[in-house]
Amino acid sequence: MPTARAAVLPAAREPLAVDTLKVRDPRDGEVLVRIGASGVCHSDLHAITGDLPMPTPCVLGHEGAGTVEAVGSGVRHVAVGDHVVLNWVPFCGACWYCQSGRNYLCETGYVKAMGAEVFHQNGTTVNQFAGVGSMAEYTVVPESACIPIGADVPLDRACLIGCGVMTGVGAVINTARVQPGESVAIFGAGGVGLNVVQGAQIAGANPIIAIDLNERKLGFAKQFGATHTINAGSTDPVSAIQDLTTGRGVDYAFEVIGRADVVMQAFMAVRRGGRAVVVGVPPAMEMFSLPGMLFPLAEKSLIGSLYGSSLLARDVPRLIDLYRAGRLKLDELITRRYPLTQVGDAFAAMEKGEVARAVLVF
Ligand code: PAD
Ligand code: ZN
């Protein structure tokens, strides 16, 4: 039974600790992964602030990649030594969602992973964020949470595909199914939003309008394919988007922050018949208030996007190949790398808007 140093959230709104935990052996259908890198996603920060309820104490991290160290009985698709990207919606393969081709909506696999009791400290179970807990030297996850990749892609780049890249690119390609020449606005050019921007570029969208409050993020957005940027701190984004689209509004607007007021902006920024896509996770119990008449009379709609509506086993290899072909930016997403001991600094850098993505390297 290995031990692992890990970033532990004792309870919401309490400071993070770096503790040494016991990691239990993998059971039937489970995999022990030695983590190579774990990206810092705002969803982890939502757990720290309490906006996203997560059972505590909890090992943070869900944007991970690593090397298979050991496998339990019955594991067939990965072997010791394989490099894997971790999937934070492990799936059962048997429920209605899995059987209907939407395994990213499977609840059964997730609920089972959340109760897996992998980490222990002084006889107490320490939970895993989203059943992953990748901010640890080792973790144990279900086999369906491990997507094998080639050994040529560095793990600090590969981990980004485990959440931000898959969520952002998938929201464009899988959820919205943006067509070449369609117009897109992206509210929030952070680690996920920049991937909506590059997903829009891959899809051939035009224009690609990025909105943020932070000029540094708007600079990143241009690098990732934005044709126009709007600083919502100084310009009304809805009228600026209308000006860029002959008064009509965009075909799709993506909210990638998790704020009710910005969901309203995204809804108002889409054209008649357009779709606003909610990617950002609002605080638990937050309600949206929208002009109801515009649903029928302007035929606008508001849809959600979980994990980019992605089928990980299909989509991770596609994204890896796009990276290898130089058509998906991963290197440029990593502004800073931190050791686990500086996990607090990594979160602070995200909160201050200093980084596209911060990555913990092990
Ligand atoms: P981030 O902190 O890297 O980026 C958020 C960005 O929003 C920053 O650039 C901010 O400057 C910008 N911002 C904040 N307020 C405003 C505002 N009022 N107007 C314009 N811009 C603003 O976060 P992230 O990219 O890691 O995560 C973004 C959200 O996506 C967050 O809520 C996270 O929980 C969610 C998420 N959803 C899924 C999913 O499956 N739907 C997956 C992963 C993350
Ligand atoms: Zn995430």
Side-chain angles (χ1 to χ4, degrees), residues 41-43 46 88 163 167 188-193 211-214 217 232 256-259 262 279-281 305-307 350 356-357:
C41 175
H42 210 114
S43 299
H46 287 325
W88 51 260
C163 185
T167 299
V192 181
I211 303 98
D212 206 292
L213 300 172
N214 178 327
K217 301 298 182 76
V256 204
I257 306 159
R259 292 180 57 102
V262 182
V279 179
V281 179
S305 178
L306 175 68
Y307 217 162
M350 181 168 65
R357 223 20 159 202

Side-chain angles (χ1 to χ4, degrees), residues 239-285:
S239 49
I241 289 166
Q242 284 163 345
D243 289 346
L244 289 167
T245 52
T246 58
R248 196 163 65 228
V250 280
D251 296 312
Y252 295 94
F254 296 84
E255 200 281 356
V256 204
I257 306 159
R259 292 180 57 102
D261 55 345
V262 182
V263 169
M264 169 71 115
Q265 291 174 346
F267 188 73
M268 297 313 289
V270 296
R271 62 163 168 81
R272 292 168 61 76
R275 304 182 107 190
V277 184
V278 181
V279 179
V281 179
M285 312 309 289

Side-chain angles (χ1 to χ4, degrees), residues 143-174:
E143 180 179 11
S144 66
C146 293
I147 313 298
I149 58 168
D152 58 314
V153 180
L155 293 172
D156 59 353
R157 275 30 70 93
C159 76
L160 303 169
I161 292 180
C163 185
V165 180
M166 185 59 71
T167 299
V169 175
V172 177
I173 308 280
N174 297 326

